[in-house]
Amino acid sequence: MKEIVMAKKPKMLADLFHEQLKDVFYAENKILKTLPKMQKAAHAKDLNAAFSKHERETRGQVTRLNKVFKMIGKPARGKVCDAINGIVEEGAEVMKDFKGMPALDAGLLAAAQAVEHYEMARYGTLRTWAEELGYPEAAALLDATLKEEKATDKALTQMAKSVINLKAEGA
Amino acid sequence: MKEIVMAKKPKMLADLFHEQLKDVFYAENKILKTLPKMQKAAHAKDLNAAFSKHERETRGQVTRLNKVFKMIGKPARGKVCDAINGIVEEGAEVMKDFKGMPALDAGLLAAAQAVEHYEMARYGTLRTWAEELGYPEAAALLDATLKEEKATDKALTQMAKSVINLKAEGA
């Protein structure tokens, strides 16, 4: 009986790190497909420019993830992430329901911030795990992305307070 | 023709606010159902206690949402939120895949932080919109919840750095 139990390899932090890396790799690629649609839908110039900038940043973030996969000796592969699919689906719903309406930009902005927060949670976790696992270079790459996501979220918050909502109220 | 166009009421920020309030109401109730499962699964005492505390907090947050619905003269009703369903689904997957494994707590912690960040994004947006719409009392209630979510996320980050991950490595 002991052999059977031993045959089941205990799942460690390294396994979890790999799983979550695949999750966020899928998420980033999903976001890359979604950003042009959000950019096209946005009315406010600032928001349009923010989506365009974030698309460029996201490409750089995918490149960083490729490097992290290489560092841990695994192929860069994604795994379906229900969370980002759900978040993106909600954004798509807003685009459909508020098409041509004054509040569309505010809705797009909210959807983008939900995406940013999901990424912030994931990269924060991955960075901490990379440190624990003794991958300082991977941790530095993940931290660089985390900082970008936080900066994007902050910029979107500023936009939400100034331009967008006033427009949504028809002011 | 003009009448037909006018018949389509423009969707304003108030509509978006109501939609997102229903979204987060559904999310909080989903989280209330999920937290006891996460608490049961957690090994570390600190994490177990954190889930228990957050369950109590979440009940208070639902009460606040009920008040906000009342303030805007709408019934307290949820609307299926694909995002939280996806996030919770990922947490359930970790619970299944890492059951009895050393890294389970680290996985639960990561799942909980993804939930917190989703809520932080939504409450941040709702608070800003409440301010814009001239609902200062609703904004104050939403801000109180936002502060709780941020504090919970911070506490989980501290835990991730200290207890949990070392355990996940078998140290």
Side-chain angles (χ1 to χ4, degrees), chain A residues 16 20 23 83 117-118 121-122 125-126 129, chain B residues 31 34-35 37-39 41 47 51 54 83-84 86-96 98 103-119 152-153 156 160 164:
Chain A
L16 204 51
Q20 197 125 126
D23 176 286
H117 270 277
Y118 181 73
R122 290 307 186 209
T125 298
L126 281 168
W129 289 350
Chain B
I31 293 161
T34 309
L35 277 166
K37 292 176 201 164
M38 294 175 81
Q39 196 198 344
L47 189 57
F51 287 149
H54 195 54
I84 202 72
I87 293 167
V88 164
E89 184 49 46
E90 283 192 15
E93 224 171 90
V94 167
M95 278 195 262
K96 192 175 138 247
F98 286 79
L104 176 67
D105 276 2
L108 285 172
L109 218 150
Q113 287 199 283
V115 170
E116 286 314 301
H117 269 277
Y118 182 74
E119 293 190 280
T152 301
D153 180 61
L156 292 172
I164 316 297

Side-chain angles (χ1 to χ4, degrees), chain A residues 23 81 90 117 122 132 169, chain B residues 23 81 90 122 132 169:
Chain A
D23 176 286
C81 164
E90 282 192 16
H117 270 277
R122 290 307 186 209
E132 294 285 337
E169 285 176 282
Chain B
D23 176 288
C81 164
E90 283 192 15
R122 290 307 186 208
E132 294 286 336
E169 286 176 284

Side-chain angles (χ1 to χ4, degrees), chain A residues 33-67:
Chain A
K33 278 183 207 152
T34 309
L35 277 167
K37 290 176 203 166
M38 292 175 82
Q39 197 198 342
K40 208 178 156 189
H43 286 128
K45 269 188 190 171
D46 284 1
L47 189 58
N48 196 292
F51 287 150
S52 175
K53 186 188 168 205
H54 195 53
E55 194 189 334
R56 286 195 301 280
E57 273 181 353
T58 305
R59 290 189 198 284
Q61 292 168 358
V62 171
T63 304
R64 285 193 198 113
L65 287 177
N66 276 307
K67 286 182 189 168

Side-chain angles (χ1 to χ4, degrees), chain A residues 120-129 131-132 146 150, chain B residues 47 50-51 106 108-110 112-114 116-117 120 149-165:
Chain A
M120 279 154 62
R122 290 307 186 209
Y123 280 107
T125 298
L126 281 168
R127 181 198 53 182
T128 303
W129 289 350
E131 283 165 3
E132 294 285 337
L146 179 61
K150 281 183 183 174
Chain B
L47 189 57
F51 287 149
L108 285 172
L109 218 150
Q113 287 199 283
E116 286 314 301
H117 269 277
M120 278 153 62
E149 306 291 6
K150 282 185 182 173
T152 301
D153 180 61
K154 210 173 166 184
L156 292 172
T157 297
Q158 285 308 315
M159 254 180 250
K161 282 183 186 164
S162 57
V163 192
I164 316 297
N165 296 327

Side-chain angles (χ1 to χ4, degrees), chain B residues 57 61 64 116 120 123 127 140-154:
Chain B
E57 273 180 354
Q61 292 168 358
R64 283 193 200 114
E116 286 314 301
M120 278 153 62
Y123 280 107
R127 182 199 51 184
L141 288 173
L142 296 162
D143 188 58
T145 295
L146 179 61
K147 285 202 172 77
E148 277 178 4
E149 306 291 6
K150 282 185 182 173
T152 301
D153 180 61
K154 210 173 166 184

Side-chain angles (χ1 to χ4, degrees), chain A:
Chain A
M1 279 304 281
K2 207 182 173 191
E3 283 72 15
I4 296 167
V5 175
M6 290 301 284
K8 200 177 177 186
K9 195 183 155 213
K11 287 192 177 185
M12 311 303 267
L13 192 59
D15 303 294
L16 204 51
F17 182 78
H18 184 210
E19 283 301 307
Q20 197 125 126
L21 205 59
K22 289 191 284 182
D23 176 286
V24 85
F25 188 75
Y26 174 93
E28 291 288 16
N29 282 292
K30 179 91 184 181
I31 293 163
L32 264 185
K33 278 183 207 152
T34 309
L35 277 167
K37 290 176 203 166
M38 292 175 82
Q39 197 198 342
K40 208 178 156 189
H43 286 128
K45 269 188 190 171
D46 284 1
L47 189 58
N48 196 292
F51 287 150
S52 175
K53 186 188 168 205
H54 195 53
E55 194 189 334
R56 286 195 301 280
E57 273 181 353
T58 305
R59 290 189 198 284
Q61 292 168 358
V62 171
T63 304
R64 285 193 198 113
L65 287 177
N66 276 307
K67 286 182 189 168
V68 176
F69 273 111
K70 216 171 175 181
M71 282 171 187
I72 65 164
K74 303 277 186 191
R77 256 184 229 143
K79 182 193 161 195
V80 177
C81 164
D82 292 327
I84 202 71
N85 283 346
I87 293 168
V88 165
E89 184 49 47
E90 282 192 16
E93 223 170 274
V94 167
M95 279 195 262
K96 193 175 138 244
D97 292 353
F98 286 79
K99 195 178 173 181
M101 297 294 174
L104 176 67
D105 276 1
L108 285 172
L109 219 150
Q113 288 200 282
V115 170
E116 287 313 301
H117 270 277
Y118 181 73
E119 293 190 279
M120 279 154 62
R122 290 307 186 209
Y123 280 107
T125 298
L126 281 168
R127 181 198 53 182
T128 303
W129 289 350
E131 283 165 3
E132 294 285 337
L133 290 164
Y135 302 137
E137 286 176 25
L141 288 173
L142 296 162
D143 190 57
T145 295
L146 179 61
K147 285 200 172 82
E148 277 177 3
E149 307 290 9
K150 281 183 183 174
T152 302
D153 181 60
K154 211 173 164 185
L156 292 171
T157 297
Q158 285 308 317
M159 251 179 256
K161 282 182 186 165
S162 58
V163 193
I164 317 295
N165 294 328
L166 292 170
K167 196 165 163 260
E169 285 176 282

